[in-house]
Amino acid sequence: NRAYVKNNGFWGIVDKSGKYIVKNRWKNILYETFSGTDHLWVQSPSTDKWQCLQVSTDQICINDEFDGAGAFDSSGRALVMKDKLIGAIDTEGNTILPIRFNSTKIANAALNFIDQIKQKSMSEFDAYRFNIYNNDERHKHHLHQTIADNMWDF
């Protein structure tokens, strides 16, 4: 229903009639992974950062920029990267997973985990624990629910 077009070094999107629905002003556009999504990632030519664009309005819809981003899934969630750490947001810009994960493998496992327990998001603390539990290199110590009284330093 639409095509990605590069003109004068910048990307945009046209509809079937050739009319621009997203003006060609982006350094890059991340292709959608399923048809019909109204949200895409575009790369700013001035900052090289990725921003979320709402196609129907041709406007940036989330006031944050990322070093990297993955396409939105059918649930409206996407992995995002800042400072080499990964998290997830939805199309409204809500944090689904805090940007604390060391790999996309662990971040995807965390998304699957919150789906299994029927939660919409994961707290910073749970993300930290999940990252440790599911990272083979760091999985050398067992975490407990509480810290023993003799372990506090005050």
Side-chain angles (χ1 to χ4, degrees):
N1 291 341
R2 54 192 185 202
Y4 298 81
V5 177
K6 189 173 187 178
N7 190 4
N8 295 327
F10 295 100
W11 286 94
I13 301 175
V14 295
D15 64 13
K16 285 182 179 181
S17 69
K19 178 184 171 197
Y20 275 96
I21 54 176
V22 172
K23 293 177 183 152
N24 61 323
R25 64 185 188 277
W26 303 107
K27 180 176 182 177
N28 209 341
I29 297 177
L30 182 65
Y31 296 119
E32 58 196 326
T33 54
F34 69 99
S35 64
T37 184
D38 193 35
H39 295 81
L40 295 174
W41 293 103
V42 292
Q43 189 176 24
S44 168
S46 60
T47 66
D48 282 343
K49 300 287 186 178
W50 291 89
Q51 300 171 291
C52 184
L53 180 93
Q54 187 170 7
V55 176
S56 60
T57 63
D58 193 14
Q59 297 292 317
I60 297 298
C61 58
I62 297 174
N63 292 326
D64 207 347
E65 295 182 326
F66 302 96
D67 299 329
F72 285 97
D73 65 16
S74 59
S75 301
R77 304 180 305 194
L79 294 180
V80 292
M81 182 191 308
K82 276 188 179 181
D83 300 324
K84 299 182 182 178
L85 293 175
I86 298 163
I89 63 170
D90 65 14
T91 56
E92 304 288 318
N94 299 313
T95 299
I96 306 299
L97 298 176
I99 300 175
R100 298 285 179 256
F101 294 92
N102 298 318
S103 73
T104 55
K105 178 182 174 185
I106 297 172
N108 280 318
L111 284 175
N112 290 334
F113 176 74
I114 64 172
D115 287 345
Q116 288 174 357
I117 61 172
K118 299 187 184 335
Q119 285 186 351
K120 290 187 177 195
S121 63
M122 184 177 276
S123 71
E124 289 270 345
F125 181 74
D126 288 340
Y128 178 74
R129 288 184 357 156
F130 193 91
N131 205 28
I132 292 172
Y133 277 130
N134 291 281
N135 188 325
D136 294 334
E137 290 182 27
R138 293 186 180 184
H139 191 51
K140 296 178 182 172
H141 302 284
H142 182 71
L143 294 179
H144 298 278
Q145 288 296 101
T146 59
I147 298 172
D149 288 338
N150 65 348
M151 297 298 288
W152 291 96
D153 60 355
F154 57 90

